Amino acid sequence: MSKVTVSVIKADVGGFVGHSSVHQALKDRAEECLRQAGTLLVDFRVSSVGDDLTLIMTHRQGVDSPAIHELAWNTFLACTEEARRLKLYGAGQDLLSDAFAGNVRGMGPGVAEMEFEERPSEPIVVFMADKTEPGAFNLPLYRIFADPFNTSGLVIDPKMHAGFRFEVMDVREKAQVTFDLPEELYDLLVFIGAPSRFCIKHVFSKETGDVAAVVSTQRLSLMAGRYVGKDDPVCVVRCQSGMPALGEVLEPFARPHLVAGWMRGSHVGPLMPCSVAQATPTRFDGPPRVVALGFQLAEGRLVGPQDLFADPAFDRARQLALEIADYMRQHGPFEPHRLHLEEMEYTTMPEVMKRLAGRFVPLG
Ligand code: F6R
Ligand code: MG
Ligand code: MG
């Protein structure tokens, strides 16, 4: 049996209402486009979180396949047409170029792809997040693949005991670096603790060399040289039999951490795990959300999804996220709720500074 590729490609091509959700008409259009791809795909699902439309595809073309990327691009174009017809908000906002040149990387859509030999049983989780950035997955991926207090398999499963290899991308300098854990744990943390610049891109099993996780690391704001929309990320994680158990993969989300990207891409808030039905962020355009869709692969077919955060065991995490949201909101336009100056996606600072220039009296 040849290898299977899981490609998760997402874009915000128009919101309903404002930036809060994806209209059903866009999802229907996306399904229609992917169905028409015939045998190019083994299987597909269309999903969404907030205003981000996600195409989950399986196929035999490998990662970075021009045919798959073109299919995704054309699907987003068709959905943009639909969004324009309904005058949805920000129609086509993540499609940065008019001409497709063989690969959607760097063009706007977020891409997380992995190719592997399907195991006798292959459970995967597709995470989709809205109102945040790719580095939002740094902390949970660290916990899943490197923290024995989260993942007891690192201690007691012989197939995981060697640890995992982390590939980290410097999104500003466009460079990447690899760390072997647990040996280089402290070195890794120097970087991934700064998630706006350093993002975990891949995780690999040291035991087998197999890919274990992948994150979309596009940063739209840097790609366009100006703010054009948020780079709300997706992430795929393989589970069980030498990989972390499903419950170890979901566990970090039980303690919501603070991430950047809330309201106007310029505020910090808790990442709230939620079900598909709860994935419409409307409180101050948030708080940031993450949905987890579970699948079993069967010869590349997607058996699922199972809506993993619908479990009431995550109710307390949601409650805690709401309490943190209340607390953070009290700061209004003050840091650290509002991002620091360099990270904000909206600012009036240069304009106001210019207008008041004459009123600044030099000191000393
Ligand atoms: C977009 C987002 C929103 C917008 C905000 C202002 O995903 O997070 O918070 O930034 O609604 O949107 P505009 O500037 O389009 O009116
Ligand atoms: Mg939007
Ligand atoms: Mg979004």
Side-chain angles (χ1 to χ4, degrees):
M1 183 43 82
S2 65
K3 288 183 169 181
V4 64
T5 306
V6 177
S7 295
V8 181
I9 307 187
K10 52 78 47 182
D12 174 352
V13 292
F16 166 67
V17 174
H19 290 278
S20 67
S21 80
V22 176
H23 194 283
Q24 189 57 43
L26 272 61
K27 292 197 215 178
D28 292 346
R29 192 66 195 273
E31 296 240 356
E32 201 180 295
C33 293
L34 298 186
R35 205 171 304 117
Q36 279 166 8
T39 54
L40 178 63
L41 297 180
V42 177
D43 204 356
F44 68 85
R45 293 288 183 277
V46 172
S47 193
S48 64
V49 58
D51 56 6
D52 293 279
L53 177 63
T54 311
L55 313 178
I56 302 166
M57 301 172 284
T58 56
H59 55 89
R60 307 282 180 195
Q61 313 294 314
V63 302
D64 278 335
S65 152
I68 298 297
H69 282 222
E70 187 169 19
L71 173 64
W73 183 258
N74 290 338
T75 300
F76 291 135
L77 282 183
C79 294
T80 297
E81 252 173 46
E82 200 63 37
R84 292 218 166 100
R85 196 177 60 77
L86 297 171
K87 290 189 68 176
L88 298 182
Y89 197 70
Q93 72 159 46
D94 282 357
L95 305 185
L96 300 180
S97 159
D98 289 337
F100 177 77
N103 192 310
V104 294
R105 278 186 212 279
M107 293 184 83
V111 186
E113 297 183 286
M114 47 162 73
E115 185 186 33
F116 51 83
E117 203 77 54
E118 189 179 297
R119 296 169 295 168
S121 184
E122 186 65 61
I124 64 166
V125 179
V126 175
F127 290 102
M128 313 183 291
D130 188 37
K131 309 296 181 248
T132 187
E133 58 185 8
F137 285 112
N138 283 6
L139 191 150
L141 286 173
Y142 165 74
R143 289 225 164 102
I144 295 167
F145 291 102
D147 180 0
F149 281 75
N150 180 87
T151 300
S152 55
L154 293 165
V155 182
I156 64 178
D157 180 349
K159 295 201 286 289
M160 281 173 63
H161 198 70
F164 289 85
R165 182 162 296 141
F166 287 69
E167 185 186 286
V168 175
M169 193 165 154
D170 177 345
V171 292
R172 195 181 303 164
E173 298 299 322
K174 293 202 166 66
Q176 71 182 41
V177 51
T178 305
F179 299 94
D180 278 353
L181 274 280
E183 310 87 280
E184 299 180 300
L185 186 153
Y186 298 158
D187 289 345
L188 173 78
L189 287 173
V190 168
F191 297 98
I192 65 168
S196 62
R197 175 162 172 192
F198 297 97
C199 304
I200 298 174
K201 173 75 197 166
H202 285 108
V203 181
F204 300 95
S205 159
K206 272 159 70 188
E207 175 83 19
T208 61
D210 275 1
V211 63
V214 62
V215 181
S216 61
T217 49
Q218 287 70 19
R219 274 187 59 90
L220 278 176
S221 45
L222 294 181
M223 275 165 3
R226 66 192 163 85
Y227 178 59
V228 284
K230 239 170 333 316
D231 33 7
D232 303 314
V234 285
C235 168
V236 186
V237 181
R238 296 170 74 194
C239 313
Q240 310 287 155
S241 314
M243 302 290 176
L246 178 69
E248 290 168 335
V249 170
L250 302 176
E251 178 66 5
F253 298 92
R255 277 160 297 160
H257 62 295
L258 291 172
V259 297
W262 193 359
M263 182 53 91
R264 300 182 182 277
S266 304
H267 294 78
V268 168
L271 185 64
M272 183 163 89
C274 61
S275 66
V276 173
Q278 298 166 324
T280 303
T282 56
R283 162 120 196 246
F284 195 57
D285 288 358
R289 294 218 178 183
V290 58
V291 166
L293 301 181
F295 296 95
Q296 289 288 150
L297 294 187
E299 315 308 337
R301 276 177 300 113
L302 289 157
V303 180
Q306 175 73 272
D307 189 357
L308 297 165
F309 289 145
D311 183 351
F314 285 93
D315 284 352
R316 284 252 272 274
R318 286 185 270 274
Q319 195 54 44
L320 179 57
L322 296 179
E323 278 162 30
I324 297 169
D326 283 341
Y327 174 75
M328 295 303 287
R329 283 297 301 126
Q330 288 173 38
H331 296 77
F334 281 75
E335 296 178 17
H337 179 35
R338 203 211 68 201
L339 293 184
H340 60 81
L341 290 174
E342 296 74 48
E343 273 290 314
M344 280 200 300
E345 280 160 354
Y346 284 70
T347 181
T348 48
M349 179 72 101
E351 198 183 304
V352 177
M353 202 54 144
K354 198 164 146 206
R355 185 157 45 79
L356 301 187
R359 284 165 51 183
F360 278 80
V361 183
L363 291 174

